[in-house]
Amino acid sequence: MMIAAIPVMAPALTGIALVFWRRPGTARRLVAGFSTLLQLAFAVWLVGHITRDGPVLMVAGGWSPAFGIALVVDPLSALMLALSAVTTCACVVLGFAEQSVRFEHPLRLPLLLLLVAGTNLAFVTADLFNLFVAFEVVLVGSTALLTLEADDWEVKHAFPYLAMNQFGSALFLVAAALAYGLFGTLNFAALAERANSLAGDPRLTALALLLLVVFGLKAGLFPLHYWLPNSYPTLPSPLGALYAALLTKVGIYALIRVYGTVLPADPVVQTALLWIAGATLIVGVLGALARDYVRGILALLLTQVGFIVMAVGFAGTYAFTAAIYYLIHHVLAMAALFMINGALILLAGTDRLSRCANLWRAAPALGVLFLLQAMSLAGMPPFSGFWGKYMILVRGLERGATTLVVVALLTSLLTMLIAIDIWNRAFWRERADTVLRRDDGRWKRVAAVAGGFTLLSLSVGLQPELPLRLATQAATFVLDRSDYIAFGKREATP
């Protein structure tokens, strides 16, 4: 069905149109905003359609899925497309609020939409090589945006990002070649069917570990996260929010898809996932403790995707449900925090904690938004971070992984202390030498967008029934390998 291609084609075609419409202006912004709004409406409809009628598949050119370019939208894909659409729409509006038309770079919106097209392709592709293509599209768009508006000091931080991801791309090609050599296909359904006969084979374990390196690099997992801490903080706030929400999640999505649906469970890989997750959590929060500016702290707290990886390592429907629910939380929470920080920078002129102060008197609502969202990230009840972590830790205790549970609790405690420290120093502390830009109306507009998105994020914890139901349905389909294989065969039949 053609609807599987719309989430990829819509942002791509809009981006191409904006490339030729070079002159920034109000009409150009309206076209971009209307396009992202339509994409959001379609994504929400798609979630309902998939929930009600089941997955859909499209194979370009009418080829068999084993040989053609296959796109599948199942419950997990639909959920990721909805998260992508709502975040993109909010970040585009945030960009309009933060920057006047006169100063808008003509390539920001086209490149942003190219990036979104790549992430959406990663969410719907049903082929390992096309997943590689999606990663490359994301890399082109994200690298260009990293350097587009950077100064001489900021642009150097794009080099580690590009170098590490190019290394990951080379490894991905090696992994794809190994998979093709083993199975004669790269289609997910065919791989899932043929991998059953190689369960326990060391070649299959080698393939799974190689893919773990590739996806772990994309997700910013330790020790492959070198590119992460210094690249995201160089971005303007709207782009930083989009990167925080989507880029590392492409790697996380691939982990869930490949280790849940495509490859059979492997004790070696599961053990590696668990300890990499624990190390990622510890290293990320310790790095955040050592930083003095909010964007840098938030960039390192992105390593809390380690909770999702830990859940994937624990395996089982309950653990995957927890992973997907926490994924929903993390996408929305990190985007909201980067948006709030954007308002903070406009009001204070900086997000250096050594120089910020007096914000509570000027913007108490902004302080409340930050505190609530930070508490959610730390896992305080009754917010979404708590429910996701609770489910993951329960599964960890059932598995007897006491050490990892302690690590998870410790990192959550440290995250809460970091959040309180930021709030105390930036909002509650008062300094006579700190002058705020109260007359700059941009911070109010950015705060309004951030506030709306924060309310959406907090609702995931305060009203968890719907996201939990969607996460459960997604996890069930991801782990039902026989149903996924049969679905591919059924759709391939004339």
Side-chain angles (χ1 to χ4, degrees):
M1 297 178 69
M2 282 297 296
I3 61 174
I6 292 176
V8 181
M9 298 304 297
L13 292 176
T14 306
I16 292 171
L18 294 182
V19 169
F20 290 100
W21 191 349
R22 295 182 58 85
R23 187 180 181 86
T26 302
R28 189 175 188 262
R29 284 187 165 187
L30 286 174
V31 169
F34 187 65
S35 175
T36 56
L37 188 61
L38 286 179
Q39 292 170 45
L40 173 58
F42 178 78
V44 172
W45 173 84
L46 193 58
V47 171
H49 177 75
I50 299 301
T51 301
R52 182 180 63 254
D53 299 329
V56 296
L57 179 145
M58 187 200 83
V59 184
W63 290 84
S64 166
F67 303 102
I69 298 176
L71 304 179
V72 172
V73 183
D74 65 2
L76 178 59
S77 300
L79 186 57
M80 296 304 299
L81 290 172
L83 290 171
S84 171
V86 70
T87 306
T88 301
C89 192
C91 290
V92 167
V93 174
L94 189 77
F96 298 162
E98 181 196 51
Q99 192 178 60
S100 70
V101 175
R102 291 178 302 169
F103 303 110
E104 180 181 300
H105 196 291
L107 289 178
R108 180 195 277 196
L109 285 172
L111 288 172
L112 183 152
L113 291 167
L114 173 66
L115 174 61
V116 172
T119 59
N120 289 353
L121 177 60
F123 297 149
V124 301
T125 188
D127 181 276
L128 196 61
F129 184 77
N130 293 326
L131 182 60
F132 164 78
V133 172
F135 279 13
E136 292 305 290
V137 174
V138 171
L139 179 59
V140 170
S142 59
T143 304
L145 284 171
L146 272 173
T147 59
L148 186 68
E149 301 171 60
D151 57 28
D152 291 342
W153 182 86
E154 293 170 338
V155 75
K156 65 180 182 180
H157 296 300
F159 295 137
Y161 175 84
L162 179 60
M164 292 292 290
N165 280 277
Q166 289 283 34
F167 171 71
S169 298
L171 287 183
F172 203 166
L173 283 177
V174 173
L178 177 58
Y180 193 82
L182 286 174
F183 305 112
T185 182
L186 295 177
N187 176 265
F188 285 165
L191 286 174
E193 182 178 33
R194 299 175 191 182
N196 288 328
S197 62
L198 286 180
D201 191 305
R203 293 174 298 174
L204 191 60
T205 300
L207 173 62
L209 290 174
L210 190 56
L211 289 173
L212 176 56
V213 174
V214 174
F215 300 151
L217 192 154
K218 293 290 182 182
L221 302 181
F222 177 83
L224 304 168
H225 71 302
Y226 171 74
W227 56 268
L228 177 62
N230 293 323
S231 58
Y232 284 20
T234 65
L235 290 162
S237 297
L239 297 179
L242 186 69
Y243 277 48
L246 296 183
L247 254 62
T248 55
K249 308 313 182 298
V250 172
I252 293 296
Y253 168 83
L255 282 171
I256 294 173
R257 175 66 67 194
V258 169
Y259 298 122
T261 303
V262 179
L263 299 180
D266 189 315
V268 175
V269 175
Q270 289 177 328
T271 301
L273 285 168
L274 291 174
W275 290 108
I276 288 173
T280 299
L281 290 172
I282 286 290
V283 171
V285 77
L286 291 179
L289 282 169
R291 289 203 153 183
D292 181 53
Y293 61 111
V294 180
R295 282 171 297 175
I297 293 171
L298 294 178
L300 278 165
L301 291 181
L302 282 167
T303 55
Q304 289 214 357
V305 295
F307 282 102
I308 306 172
V309 178
M310 189 180 295
V312 175
F314 286 143
T317 303
Y318 184 85
F320 270 68
T321 299
I324 295 169
Y325 179 82
Y326 193 86
L327 176 59
I328 298 170
H329 148 76
H330 201 263
V331 167
L332 299 177
M334 293 308 305
L337 285 169
F338 269 85
M339 291 178 186
I340 294 169
N341 188 60
L344 184 154
I345 292 172
L346 289 172
L347 178 58
T350 180
D351 63 349
R352 289 272 175 192
L353 294 176
S354 58
R355 296 161 55 190
C356 281
N358 307 334
L359 290 174
W360 179 254
R361 286 184 179 274
L366 190 65
V368 171
L369 289 175
F370 176 84
L371 188 61
L372 291 176
Q373 191 62 84
M375 290 299 100
S376 177
L377 187 68
M380 294 294 290
F383 303 117
S384 55
F386 169 77
W387 300 117
K389 290 181 181 180
Y390 172 79
M391 295 173 68
I392 294 169
L393 296 183
V394 165
R395 181 60 174 165
L397 291 174
E398 291 175 352
R399 289 283 304 271
T402 308
T403 302
L404 288 174
V405 170
V406 170
V407 166
L409 291 172
L410 178 61
T411 55
S412 296
L413 175 62
L414 291 175
T415 301
M416 182 178 66
L417 294 177
I418 290 169
I420 293 173
D421 180 61
I422 293 174
W423 194 84
N424 279 335
R425 296 172 68 183
F427 289 93
W428 193 248
R429 182 179 59 172
E430 295 187 5
R431 288 179 52 170
D433 60 341
T434 299
V435 178
L436 301 180
R437 304 174 179 179
R438 298 170 187 262
D439 296 332
D440 189 345
R442 292 180 300 163
W443 77 265
K444 295 180 181 179
R445 297 194 296 269
V446 170
V449 178
F453 199 84
T454 300
L455 292 178
L456 173 64
S457 174
L458 295 176
S459 69
V460 174
L462 299 177
Q463 297 290 332
E465 293 83 3
L466 177 59
L468 271 175
R469 185 164 69 248
L470 294 174
T472 302
Q473 184 185 30
T476 301
F477 191 83
V478 163
L479 292 175
D480 192 347
R481 301 175 75 240
S482 59
D483 195 34
Y484 189 90
I485 294 168
F487 168 72
K489 286 183 175 180
R490 183 173 64 251
E491 293 290 344
T493 303

